[in-house]
Amino acid sequence: MESITAAPARRTSIGAQRNPDSEEAILAAAEAILIEEGFSAFSIEAVARRAKAGKPTIYRWWPSKAALLLDVYHRQKQDMSVADSGDVRKDLALFVKGLLSFWQDNGGAVFRSVIAEAQSDPATLEALRNYLLQRWQQTGDIIKRGQERGEIKPGIHPELLIEILSGFAWSRLLTGRLDCSNAEIDAAVDAVVSGIAAR
Amino acid sequence: MESITAAPARRTSIGAQRNPDSEEAILAAAEAILIEEGFSAFSIEAVARRAKAGKPTIYRWWPSKAALLLDVYHRQKQDMSVADSGDVRKDLALFVKGLLSFWQDNGGAVFRSVIAEAQSDPATLEALRNYLLQRWQQTGDIIKRGQERGEIKPGIHPELLIEILSGFAWSRLLTGRLDCSNAEIDAAVDAVVSGIAAR
């Protein structure tokens, strides 16, 4: 244990500055535990052991398990960008396909853990909610660009639409049905874009 | 503890027959724990204590925590029926509104626990999936009736559509945003029924 100084540690102190190598080692260790052993084996202690880092270091950078979990997820997801093909239907289908295939390649194990943890831990719930509201706003650009091109009705709320499609993906993730065919995803996107009404 | 007999208990033995009063007391105790104390306090031991029942009795009727959880949820939900107003848009909006308001009145605490537990326990995941596939088939009747009346395109897959709208409701539940206005729900249903494409 590090000694506790009279003044609380501040983000601006040298001790609180993240060392990129250690940060990467901790995030990689956390990810490996979640993927290989599952959420029940995930603890700050286990991450510290695997990353050969001190528990106080981890706690200094990530105040809660939830914060660390979300950073692991965010790090995995950083390569995912919002498609901009000029066709809203194509962009929305790529969004759903990208999400489901990312979750099939390990990302799903981490995100399922975050959602599960959020159901009993208010701090995780708040972190998850803030993360999503921000993501949906970014992804909502697909709808906004469609509206600017006159493809999408002006009254449609971008975030609402993204939450509907992302909710479908969540349902697949959380019921263990990620092996969704491209035809099924296209059918879901078509239903929402073209509507289901006969006239 | 009850004495353990040489032969394993069978469903057909007198011991395995559920006594309706005890069954109701156990389900009520399980529900009360989930609502009052949350999922972290939920165990067969705690349910047995509160229901003044033997643990072996509970295990005989519900082979897993998951089975008991789903029965609690099912019991809460038994009053919910699928609307049949003759108007598919109205029926779908009532479906989503019914789900969200049921979850706001206690049902949400139980269902969140089931979903969370399913993310680390394969038996719960399978029980949840089977339960949902059956529910979505029932609720899909809204779409089927709409197709028979010529309101809905014949190519639309009833369960797919229900999963899209139910996924939106899940997203609200699992991010703690159940206080959804009727206008927002109507907007979500309208987007799916009429589509979002401008032409």
Side-chain angles (χ1 to χ4, degrees):
Chain A
M1 276 292 275
E2 292 180 14
S3 65
I4 294 161
T5 53
R10 284 179 304 164
R11 281 260 163 201
T12 49
S13 75
I14 289 172
Q17 275 175 8
R18 297 192 186 186
N19 168 332
D21 287 348
S22 310
E23 182 179 356
E24 174 58 27
I26 291 164
L27 289 171
E31 182 184 16
I33 292 170
L34 285 165
I35 292 169
E36 292 167 23
E37 301 170 55
F39 183 64
S40 57
F42 184 80
S43 66
I44 299 293
E45 186 135 4
V47 173
R49 212 179 309 123
R50 186 157 185 150
K52 296 185 177 64
K55 272 170 64 177
T57 305
I58 300 181
Y59 278 119
R60 206 181 311 126
W61 295 344
W62 294 277
S64 67
K65 226 160 91 163
L68 179 54
L69 272 177
L70 271 167
D71 260 13
V72 171
Y73 187 65
H74 196 69
R75 170 175 166 274
Q76 289 183 313
K77 240 189 149 181
Q78 61 199 3
D79 297 334
M80 281 191 73
S81 57
V82 177
D84 186 8
S85 69
D87 175 343
V88 85
R89 200 180 297 256
K90 203 179 280 178
D91 287 354
L92 289 175
L94 283 172
F95 162 63
V96 179
K97 286 171 192 171
L99 214 46
L100 293 178
S101 79
F102 170 66
W103 285 340
Q104 273 191 308
D105 304 338
N106 295 331
V110 178
F111 198 52
R112 289 172 74 180
S113 304
V114 175
I115 294 175
E117 178 74 359
Q119 304 319 309
S120 52
D121 177 52
T124 308
L125 183 65
E126 199 189 331
L128 173 65
R129 189 165 43 212
N130 292 341
Y131 168 77
L132 288 168
L133 295 177
Q134 195 205 333
R135 283 297 296 192
W136 292 335
Q137 198 169 25
Q138 285 168 9
T139 315
D141 283 350
I142 295 175
I143 303 293
K144 278 186 209 146
R145 287 193 302 259
Q147 286 170 325
E148 283 160 15
R149 288 191 302 262
E151 276 183 284
I152 299 289
K153 293 174 190 165
I156 296 294
H157 194 294
E159 282 96 328
L160 177 74
L161 228 287
I162 297 300
E163 188 174 7
I164 290 172
L165 286 175
S166 126
F168 171 70
W170 280 40
S171 176
R172 291 289 171 147
L173 172 69
L174 300 172
T175 56
R177 290 155 55 246
L178 285 177
D179 55 340
C180 195
S181 69
N182 280 342
E184 274 180 293
I185 298 174
D186 289 336
V189 170
D190 271 352
V192 174
V193 173
S194 304
I196 62 172
R199 43 179 183 258
Chain B
M1 274 290 275
E2 292 179 16
S3 65
I4 294 162
T5 54
R10 284 179 302 165
R11 281 260 163 204
T12 48
S13 75
I14 288 171
Q17 275 175 8
R18 297 191 186 187
N19 168 332
D21 287 349
S22 310
E23 182 180 354
E24 174 58 27
I26 291 165
L27 290 170
E31 183 184 16
I33 291 170
L34 286 164
I35 292 169
E36 290 167 23
E37 301 170 55
F39 183 63
S40 58
F42 184 80
S43 66
I44 298 293
E45 185 135 4
V47 173
R49 211 179 311 122
R50 187 156 183 151
K52 297 187 177 64
K55 271 170 66 178
T57 305
I58 300 181
Y59 278 118
R60 206 181 311 128
W61 294 344
W62 293 278
S64 67
K65 226 160 94 164
L68 179 55
L69 272 176
L70 272 167
D71 261 13
V72 171
Y73 186 65
H74 196 70
R75 170 174 164 274
Q76 289 183 314
K77 241 190 147 180
Q78 61 198 3
D79 297 334
M80 282 191 72
S81 57
V82 177
D84 186 8
S85 70
D87 176 342
V88 85
R89 199 179 298 255
K90 202 179 280 179
D91 287 354
L92 289 174
L94 283 173
F95 162 62
V96 179
K97 285 172 193 171
L99 215 45
L100 294 178
S101 80
F102 169 65
W103 286 340
Q104 273 190 308
D105 304 338
N106 294 331
V110 178
F111 199 52
R112 288 172 74 180
S113 304
V114 175
I115 294 174
E117 177 73 1
Q119 304 319 308
S120 53
D121 177 52
T124 308
L125 183 64
E126 199 191 330
L128 173 66
R129 189 166 44 212
N130 293 341
Y131 168 77
L132 288 167
L133 294 177
Q134 194 205 334
R135 283 298 295 192
W136 291 335
Q137 199 171 23
Q138 285 169 9
T139 316
D141 282 350
I142 294 175
I143 303 294
K144 278 185 209 146
R145 285 193 301 259
Q147 286 170 325
E148 283 160 16
R149 287 191 301 261
E151 277 183 286
I152 299 291
K153 293 174 190 165
I156 296 296
H157 194 294
E159 281 97 328
L160 177 74
L161 228 286
I162 296 301
E163 188 174 7
I164 291 172
L165 286 176
S166 126
F168 171 71
W170 280 39
S171 176
R172 291 290 172 145
L173 172 69
L174 299 173
T175 56
R177 291 156 53 247
L178 285 177
D179 55 340
C180 195
S181 68
N182 280 342
E184 275 180 292
I185 298 173
D186 288 336
V189 170
D190 270 353
V192 174
V193 173
S194 303
I196 63 172
R199 45 178 181 261

